[in-house]
Amino acid sequence: MITPIEILKTYWNYNEFRTPQEEIINTVINGENCVVLLPTGNGKSLCYQVPALAMEGVCVVISPIIALIKDQVESLTEKNIKAIALTSKLSQEEIIVAFDNLQFGGFKFLYLSPEKLQSPFIQDKIRQLNVSFIAIDEAHCISEWGHDFRPSYLKIPVLKELQPNATFIALTATATKKVFQDITQNLEIENAAVFKKSLKRTNLTYKVIYTENYYANLLQILNYIKESVIIYTNNRKQTKEVNKYLKQHNFKSTYYHGGLSLEEKNAAYASWIADKTPIMVATNAFGMGI
């Protein structure tokens, strides 16, 4: 079996893991359940992607946002790693072809949303797969105390019926003590090894500005910052208003909120991630995992 460090060097061009990535990876390879709390940017995805490449079978990844799933699959594909995302755009015939590829085509990852998992047809197909283990990303969504509760996460334990011998790894960057407890209880993850890393981010700065003219202040800030920016607003209407104002002042911006269609959301995300419109004006519907 190729070792985790060899996989890391081959596909990600890194020479060493961050603490505690290697310990988490070895825990998964050894067939032990685990719950992982790591800050955003500390390589949570590697904690399931590396062991999946070291093990036989397909890693099933449950993730809540289609844009993030698409981003992960594209990133893996660029590394010549075979991954499939089940999205609403796929017809039943295309889904059948996808599962044939997962069974016989050397594909290593199956990404899908918790809502997609509720399809009896897809459940039956997952039952037939040789599954290495199951990764639950953004696992805080299973808790009412998390910042983005998704009731469909409560139905994820159906995977224990479909794949009774599969190992589970749950990952999050957002977990209070209560949320952490909900993750282990609601996902029914038994005897899980727990990995926690401090969420303190020394590279982040918080600054509060009191102003009577936030548009003028906003322009000052944007003229100073040349990197990508996310501007959060309180409601959907404000995203459009701020975006319109910025465009009137020759800034390249787009907007995002929960009322947009899936196509509009994907287009806004793709434009921002490609730096075509480096300013994103959004409600908190945008931002999980960013």
Side-chain angles (χ1 to χ4, degrees), residues 45 111 278:
S45 58
Y111 280 81

Side-chain angles (χ1 to χ4, degrees), residues 137-167:
D137 207 1
E138 308 293 351
H140 57 269
C141 292
I142 202 166
S143 173
E144 292 185 71
W145 300 92
H147 72 250
D148 191 47
F149 177 55
R150 292 277 282 271
S152 54
Y153 264 65
L154 294 170
K155 299 178 181 178
I156 288 176
V158 71
L159 285 166
K160 296 173 74 71
E161 300 172 21
L162 306 178
Q163 293 287 336
N165 297 319
T167 300

Side-chain angles (χ1 to χ4, degrees), residues 62-259:
I62 307 297
S63 185
I65 294 183
I66 300 302
L68 294 181
I69 289 177
K70 183 181 177 183
D71 194 38
Q72 291 266 351
V73 170
E74 286 178 354
S75 178
L76 290 168
T77 303
E78 288 172 0
K79 296 177 175 63
N80 294 318
I81 298 169
K82 293 183 175 181
I84 283 176
L86 294 187
T87 68
S88 57
K89 291 185 177 181
L90 297 183
S91 67
Q92 185 158 315
E93 290 180 359
E94 289 172 322
I95 291 174
I96 291 172
V97 171
F99 275 100
D100 283 344
N101 287 331
L102 288 162
Q103 277 191 288
F104 310 112
F107 279 72
K108 298 299 295 181
F109 295 93
L110 167 61
Y111 280 81
L112 70 163
S113 70
E115 289 81 12
K116 203 72 175 171
L117 176 61
Q118 304 316 309
S119 162
F121 175 72
I122 288 175
Q123 289 180 10
D124 186 56
K125 289 294 184 181
I126 290 175
R127 186 182 282 110
Q128 299 171 37
L129 291 179
N130 174 25
V131 172
S132 53
F133 63 95
I134 295 163
I136 314 298
D137 207 1
E138 308 293 351
H140 57 269
C141 292
I142 202 166
S143 173
E144 292 185 71
W145 300 92
H147 72 250
D148 191 47
F149 177 55
R150 292 277 282 271
S152 54
Y153 264 65
L154 294 170
K155 299 178 181 178
I156 288 176
V158 71
L159 285 166
K160 296 173 74 71
E161 300 172 21
L162 306 178
Q163 293 287 336
N165 297 319
T167 300
F168 279 73
I169 175 172
L171 309 104
T172 181
T174 310
T176 62
K177 187 176 181 180
K178 171 60 178 167
V179 171
F180 216 72
Q181 183 181 11
D182 285 350
I183 289 171
T184 55
Q185 288 182 350
N186 295 340
L187 286 177
E188 300 176 18
I189 300 179
E190 300 168 354
N191 303 316
V194 176
F195 297 90
K196 291 184 180 181
K197 190 171 181 179
S198 172
L199 299 183
K200 183 177 180 180
R201 301 290 294 275
T202 56
N203 61 322
L204 294 184
T205 301
Y206 296 87
K207 186 175 183 180
V208 179
I209 300 172
Y210 295 96
T211 178
E212 293 182 0
N213 190 344
Y214 62 81
Y215 275 124
N217 274 108
L218 187 57
L219 293 182
Q220 288 178 339
I221 292 169
L222 294 177
N223 281 316
Y224 175 76
I225 298 175
K226 302 305 178 184
E227 292 82 11
S228 296
V229 173
I230 305 175
I231 300 170
Y232 284 106
T233 64
N234 288 330
N235 55 58
R236 298 175 182 182
K237 182 181 177 183
Q238 284 181 333
T239 64
K240 295 180 182 180
E241 291 174 349
V242 174
N243 180 61
K244 181 180 179 181
Y245 179 81
L246 294 178
K247 286 187 171 183
Q248 289 172 343
H249 287 77
N250 300 316
F251 287 97
K252 294 179 180 179
S253 68
T254 187
Y255 68 95
Y256 189 112
H257 60 69

